[in-house]
Amino acid sequence: MTSRRCWLFLSVLLAVLMVATPLSAGGGEPIYASTSPHLGYGIMVAYPPGHLGLVTDMGFDWYKNFLLWKDIDKTKGYDWTSLDQRLQETAASGLNLILRVEGPPVWARAWEDHYWAPVAHDKMAAWREFFRATAEYIAAWQADHGTSFRVALEVWNEPNLSFQWGDRAVDPAWYTEMVRYAYEGAKAGDPNIIVVAGGLAPTGGTSDGMAMDDVQYLEAMYDACLAGHFDVISTHNYGFGGKPDDKSWGYGILNFRRAEDIYQVMVNHGDGDKPVWATEFGWLLDASYEGHPECIGYWESIGFAWQRVSPDQQADYLVYAFQYADANWPWMGVMVVSNLDFSTTGWYATCDPLNWFSILKPDESPRLAYNALKGMTKRYRSWEVWGMDVRPPSLAWMMPITGTRRVTETVSVLNTGNLPFTWTVTTSTQGLPFSVSPLSGTADGSFQVVMDAQGLTTGTYTGRITVTASAVEVEESPFGVPLTLYVVPRVYNVYLPVVARWFSGP
C-alpha cells in the first residue's frame, strides 16, 4: 500500500475581522437568527384527551380539543364540569390549550334540527355572555391553581363549508357576527385570552353557495367588519398529498401554502401584524400500507384517494411543513397537526380518513410520523403576554488603521410575547461615530446602524443603543445594545497546518 501526505496551509486572515465584519457576540446562534422563534407545536387530540403524555413526549407545547356550549349552559346556569376536566388535564400535562367552541344549545340555534346550525341572530347576546363567562372562569381557575398556561378560544369550525353551517348556504356576514360577539365577550371576561377566528377550509367554492372559496370568505368577513375583533386568523391548510413547498399543487388552492393567501388578505386589510395559526393540517396515509387496500376504492368515491401518501411521505412532509413555516413564515403561530389519535377511539369506520390522518395506529403504537415529529428539532416561541428581544444583542468591529471604512448593520426588535408594542431608540457615544435610523418602529421591525470609522486613529471606541418598548409591561425594556470598534495598527496572517491523506490500493 502506498500513501502520500500532503500538507496544505490555509491562510486564516485575521483581517476578516478587520474589514467591517462584526465580531461574534457569542456562538450557537440558531439557523434563522434574524427571526425570533415564532411557532407553536400543536396537535389535535380526540375527545376526551387520553394521550396527552404522548403529546409531551413528542416535545409539543399545544393541543387542540373541544368545548361545547350545550354542555356548559344548562337550564339552571352554567355547569363547568367538562371545562374543569380540560383545565385539569392541561395543567397536569404542562401544555397550552386551544378550545374549539361550538355546539349551541337547541334553543340558541338558528334551526333546531342541526348540530352545526349557527347561533340565531336574536341569541347573539347569550353567545357573547357565554364567551365572557368562559374566559372569566378560565382566568379565575388559573389564579386559584397557580397555573399560567395559555388558552385560545377558536370560534366554530370551517364555516365556509355547508356541512359545518347546518347544511345551508354559507354566510360569511353571519359568521362574522358570531366572531364579533364572541370576541367582545371573551375580552370582557379576560383581556389576555386569545380569540381565534376562521378555521377556514381551503376550497375553490361551489356555484350553489354550499361552499365558498376561503380567501373570498375572509374578504367577505372583512367587509362585514371583522377588523378589531380577533387576535388570530386560523386556516386548515392540509397538504392534500402535495409537498409542503409546492404552491401549484391542488390548482394552487388545495395545498399547505394556502396559508400564504390567507395572510395576504390580512396584510391587505392592515392586519399584517397579526398571526395566522394552522389549526388543522396533515397528510392522509395510504391505508393499503397497513393492510386495508379496500379503503382506496371508498376514498375514490368520496374524492380523497388522490391525497394519499406513503408512511415515509407522511412523516417527511409533516416535519418539513414545520421547517418550512419556521424558515419562511414569521407570521405563522401555532401549527396543529391533525391528528394524534382519532384512529384509537373506535368511533370511526375503518376507512374513515380521520383514522388515516392520525399519527398513532389503532393499537396506540406510533406511526412513522409520530417518531419523526418527536425527533424533529423545535424552536419554541415564548407565550408570555409581553416580551422583547433585540438581535444582535451587541455589535463589535475590528479594522486596521489603513482600512477604516463605513459599515451598516441591521438590528431587529423582536416580539417574543403575544401582544404588539412599539419601540423607540436613543443613543450615546464615547468617541464612536455612528447613527441610527429609524428611531422608532413596531415590534418585529428593525433599524439600521451606520458606523463610520474613516479617519480614526488606533484605539477603542464605544457607544450604546437603548431600545425602549412603549408598553411598560415588557420586562426586557429598556434593552441596551453595546457597540465597540477596535482600530489596530496592522494585519497579521496566521498559517494553520491542515493534514490530508490519500490512500491507494497496492
Side-chain angles (χ1 to χ4, degrees), residues 65-357:
N65 212 248
F66 316 97
L67 183 68
L68 312 184
W69 183 14
K70 67 182 183 66
D71 288 349
I72 302 293
D73 200 337
K74 306 296 185 180
T75 56
K76 294 183 180 180
Y78 293 127
D79 178 354
W80 299 109
T81 301
S82 61
L83 179 56
D84 274 331
Q85 292 170 346
R86 299 294 83 76
L87 298 176
Q88 290 164 5
E89 292 156 351
T90 306
S93 68
L95 298 168
N96 301 295
L97 173 63
I98 299 173
L99 287 170
R100 192 177 82 190
V101 185
E102 59 192 59
V106 172
W107 57 264
R109 298 175 188 168
W111 43 96
E112 297 182 355
D113 61 346
H114 203 294
Y115 174 86
W116 283 108
V119 176
H121 294 294
D122 63 353
K123 299 299 188 293
M124 288 293 176
W127 174 248
R128 177 174 54 200
E129 173 57 22
F130 170 63
F131 270 83
R132 187 208 62 77
T134 298
E136 183 179 73
Y137 185 85
I138 292 170
W141 192 97
Q142 294 228 56
D144 290 344
H145 292 78
T147 58
S148 59
F149 56 84
R150 303 294 291 156
V151 178
L153 304 179
E154 186 175 33
V155 184
W156 217 251
N157 183 60
E158 299 184 346
N160 62 320
L161 301 180
S162 62
F163 76 91
Q164 307 274 236
W165 198 250
D167 286 328
R168 308 281 182 95
V170 300
D171 190 329
W174 193 339
Y175 173 66
T176 304
E177 182 184 13
M178 290 174 57
V179 169
R180 293 176 63 191
Y181 274 85
Y183 181 87
E184 292 169 1
K187 293 300 182 179
D190 177 11
N192 293 325
I193 202 163
I194 302 169
V195 178
V196 182
L200 301 177
T203 177
T206 59
S207 59
D208 60 3
M210 301 300 277
M212 186 171 179
D213 180 291
D214 48 319
V215 168
Q216 295 175 12
Y217 192 97
L218 183 56
E219 288 279 8
M221 289 179 67
Y222 272 104
D223 291 342
C225 301
L226 171 68
H229 293 90
F230 69 93
D231 298 312
V232 175
I233 293 295
S234 57
T235 182
H236 293 174
N237 52 326
Y238 283 85
F240 295 95
K243 295 180 180 179
D245 60 356
D246 189 350
K247 187 69 179 72
S248 65
W249 186 266
Y251 308 99
I253 296 174
L254 305 178
N255 57 69
F256 177 72
R257 288 180 60 188
R258 182 62 162 177
E260 296 170 4
D261 302 330
I262 293 296
Y263 179 65
Q264 187 58 53
V265 174
M266 298 167 63
V267 171
N268 294 344
H269 288 273
D271 281 330
D273 60 336
K274 293 187 175 183
V276 176
W277 287 10
T279 53
E280 287 184 31
F281 80 101
W283 277 264
L284 178 68
L285 177 64
D286 187 335
S288 62
Y289 282 89
E290 293 185 10
H292 291 283
E294 72 278 9
C295 294
I296 309 307
Y298 171 64
W299 292 352
E300 290 281 4
S301 71
I302 61 172
F304 271 68
W306 67 284
Q307 302 179 34
R308 67 191 189 275
V309 296
S310 70
D312 284 330
Q313 287 175 317
Q314 186 188 46
D316 291 345
Y317 290 176
L318 283 168
V319 170
Y320 184 44
F322 280 102
Q323 294 172 338
Y324 187 89
D326 194 14
N328 297 284
W329 295 347
W331 39 265
M332 177 58 71
V334 181
M335 296 174 59
V336 180
V337 174
S338 177
N339 59 76
L340 176 68
D341 57 354
F342 282 41
S343 60
T344 69
T345 65
W347 298 345
Y348 307 101
T350 298
C351 293
D352 191 307
L354 284 172
N355 291 328
W356 302 96
F357 282 105

